């Protein structure tokens, strides 16, 4: 199940990449959901004042939506780094996705003190790798394959 924060992150990343509103189809594709499901959640985000959807143009985050999306990205990066650097979890992506909706800001702050987060977070996030850009994901995946 995709949470509102996961939608906010997806919209934010698409907006950053395209420098324009995020097409609903791209949001659906990124989250592996149907366009109808994406439209439904986008409507909920819009009703909360986090997004603005214009038919045939796409969805844009409001200032509050951007703040929440960046916070969600930062928390996701913290979780990934904790899973890899402290717990040495192989499937860090799957675990991070499962944990991101249950880790609150207080827990994320406490994990952050352990992992030595980089100052460029959350701008470090690499959507193609679905990982914190401060992690050497390719060498991690190569080590897991050995």
């Amino acid at each position: 199940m995709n949470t509102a924060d996961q939608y906010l992150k997806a919209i934010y990343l698409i907006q950053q990449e395209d420098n324009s509103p995020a097409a609903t189809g791209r949001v659906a594709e990124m989250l592996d959901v149907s366009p109808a499901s994406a439209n439904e959640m986008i409507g909920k985000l819009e009703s909360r004042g986090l997004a603005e959807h214009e038919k045939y143009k796409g969805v844009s985050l409001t200032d509050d939506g951007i703040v929440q999306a960046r916070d969600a990205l930062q928390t996701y990066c913290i979780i990934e780094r904790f899973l890899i650097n402290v717990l040495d979890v192989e499937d860090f992506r799957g675990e991070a996705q499962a944990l991101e909706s249950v880790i609150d800001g207080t827990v994320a702050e406490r994990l952050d003190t352990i992992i030595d987060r980089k100052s460029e977070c959350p701008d470090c996030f690499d959507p193609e790798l679905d990982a914190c850009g401060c992690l050497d994901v390719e060498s991690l995946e190569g080590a897991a394959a050995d």
Side-chain angles (χ1 to χ4, degrees):
M1 179 173 94
N2 290 297
T3 65
D5 280 349
Q6 288 169 322
Y7 274 87
L8 289 170
K9 285 184 343 191
I11 294 165
Y12 177 80
L13 292 168
I14 293 167
Q15 275 187 254
Q16 293 295 93
E17 185 178 324
D18 295 349
N19 200 27
S20 66
T24 306
R26 276 209 58 210
V27 174
E29 184 179 302
M30 183 178 253
L31 295 172
D32 196 27
V33 298
S34 71
S37 293
N39 272 324
E40 182 180 344
M41 180 58 85
I42 288 167
K44 289 177 183 178
L45 295 174
E46 194 169 23
S47 71
R48 294 181 198 163
L50 299 172
E52 295 171 345
H53 184 238
E54 197 172 334
K55 202 171 187 175
Y56 305 115
K57 292 201 178 192
V59 60
S60 298
L61 297 180
T62 62
D63 290 344
D64 288 344
I66 290 169
V67 168
Q68 193 167 325
R70 289 179 57 78
D71 286 349
L73 268 175
Q74 182 168 301
T75 297
Y76 189 75
C77 284
I78 289 168
I79 294 167
E80 281 188 333
R81 290 176 61 92
F82 179 77
L83 290 170
I84 291 170
N85 296 346
V86 177
L87 301 180
D88 197 27
V89 172
E90 241 180 79
D91 181 22
F92 66 93
R93 282 188 195 100
E95 292 296 328
Q97 289 168 357
L99 289 171
E100 73 178 315
S101 64
V102 295
I103 299 287
D104 69 8
T106 303
V107 173
E109 285 176 22
R110 291 180 181 164
L111 293 176
D112 192 18
T113 64
I114 297 169
I115 61 154
D116 187 32
R117 180 176 42 91
K118 305 297 182 206
S119 61
E120 56 267 20
C121 187
D123 295 322
C124 61
F125 192 79
D126 184 339
E128 282 188 35
L129 295 175
D130 190 26
C132 175
C134 297
L135 296 172
D136 187 1
V137 174
E138 279 128 10
S139 71
L140 288 167
E141 289 173 340
D146 291 340

